[in-house]
């Protein structure tokens, strides 16, 4: 019997109450939000529940929303997959204030690399991670390049014409 979105939602709300919310279908992925302090409990539940069986972490990434208020500037997104039912889900959690959340590297070993990459590019601290250090950028780097705190490119560049990149209207 195929697992339905309502089954997932009922199990989660029954177990975690108001810590899981915002359930919706986004194209072919069932999505919801969780409280950041419950990330390990919810993910462990989704993995270990005998009917849900989300045993595969497809992706873990960070997001920076600089225009949001301080409690919603950073988010972590998890994509899990149930191979038995071929069901995918997306879990999103906003980080309150400081970009910090508990690691899930003890639940999914593959998250070790993904959390290091997310820390490297967004500066999101994964508390309890066994070796949180730069993975793709130089160790001497003091910033996190995927944060939207910097202009996209040098405004003084003269080697390209913005009209060809859709940045200005072309007057013919």
């Amino acid at each position: 019997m195929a697992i339905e979105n309502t089954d997932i939602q009922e199990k989660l709300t029954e177990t975690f109450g108001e810590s899981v919310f915002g359930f919706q279908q986004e194209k072919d992925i069932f999505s919801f939000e969780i409280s950041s302090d419950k990330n390990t409990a919810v993910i462990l539940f989704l993995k270990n529940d005998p009917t849900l069986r989300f045993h595969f972490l497809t992706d873990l990434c960070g997001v920076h929303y600089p225009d949001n208020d301080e409690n919603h500037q950073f988010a972590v997104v998890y994509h899990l997959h149930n191979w038995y039912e071929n069901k995918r889900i997306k879990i999103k959690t906003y980080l309150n204030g400081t970009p910090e959340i508990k690691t899930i590297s003890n639940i999914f070993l593959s998250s070790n690399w993904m959390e290091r990459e997310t820390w490297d590019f967004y500066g999101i601290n994964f508390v309890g991670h066994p070796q949180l250090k730069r993975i793709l950028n130089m160790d001497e780097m003091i910033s996190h390049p995927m944060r939207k705190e910097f202009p996209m490119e040098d405004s003084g560049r003269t080697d390209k014409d913005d009209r060809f990149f859709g940045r200005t209207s072309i007057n013919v």
Side-chain angles (χ1 to χ4, degrees):
M1 184 171 93
I3 189 167
E4 298 293 328
N5 294 347
T6 53
D7 299 332
I8 300 169
Q9 183 174 346
E10 286 172 7
K11 281 185 167 280
L12 288 170
T13 52
E14 180 181 299
T15 307
F16 298 101
E18 294 181 8
S19 294
V20 290
F21 53 93
F23 295 94
Q24 63 182 340
Q25 183 74 23
E26 293 179 2
K27 298 190 180 181
D28 62 340
I29 297 180
F30 185 56
S31 305
F32 56 92
E33 293 184 34
I34 61 172
S35 300
S36 62
D37 60 332
K38 300 287 186 197
N39 73 316
T40 55
V42 171
I43 290 172
L44 192 60
F45 176 79
L46 288 164
K47 181 180 181 184
N48 292 337
D49 185 270
T51 57
L52 297 179
R53 303 184 297 183
F54 286 96
H55 293 164
F56 187 74
L57 175 68
T58 306
D59 190 27
L60 178 158
C61 61
V63 185
H64 184 208
Y65 300 103
D67 297 332
N68 288 1
D69 66 73
E70 184 180 315
N71 290 333
H72 289 90
Q73 275 198 3
F74 291 95
V76 174
V77 179
Y78 305 94
H79 289 100
L80 300 177
H81 192 150
N82 173 330
W83 285 100
Y84 303 99
E85 307 287 341
N86 196 25
K87 181 77 170 173
R88 297 175 185 269
I89 59 172
K90 179 180 91 172
I91 306 163
K92 187 176 197 176
T93 182
Y94 286 96
L95 308 179
N96 298 326
T98 59
E100 185 174 274
I101 193 165
K102 291 182 279 189
T103 184
I104 64 162
S105 61
N106 52 346
I107 301 170
F108 290 106
L109 294 177
S110 62
S111 72
N112 185 313
W113 177 279
M114 296 178 214
E115 288 179 353
R116 287 176 63 189
E117 181 183 40
T118 302
W119 178 82
D120 192 5
F121 284 114
Y122 291 95
I124 296 172
N125 182 26
F126 291 90
V127 177
H129 190 280
Q131 191 180 18
L132 199 60
K133 66 177 189 172
R134 295 248 183 225
I135 198 165
L136 296 169
N137 291 305
M138 299 181 318
D139 290 333
E140 298 81 28
M141 197 168 186
I142 58 170
S143 63
H144 301 282
M146 294 299 286
R147 287 188 178 185
K148 296 178 178 105
E149 300 167 338
F150 309 101
M152 285 183 59
E153 55 189 61
D154 182 8
S155 60
R157 284 186 65 174
T158 57
D159 62 334
K160 66 176 184 58
D161 190 337
D162 279 345
R163 293 177 300 158
F164 300 121
F165 297 94
R167 294 191 179 106
T168 60
S169 60
I170 299 175
N171 295 326
V172 180

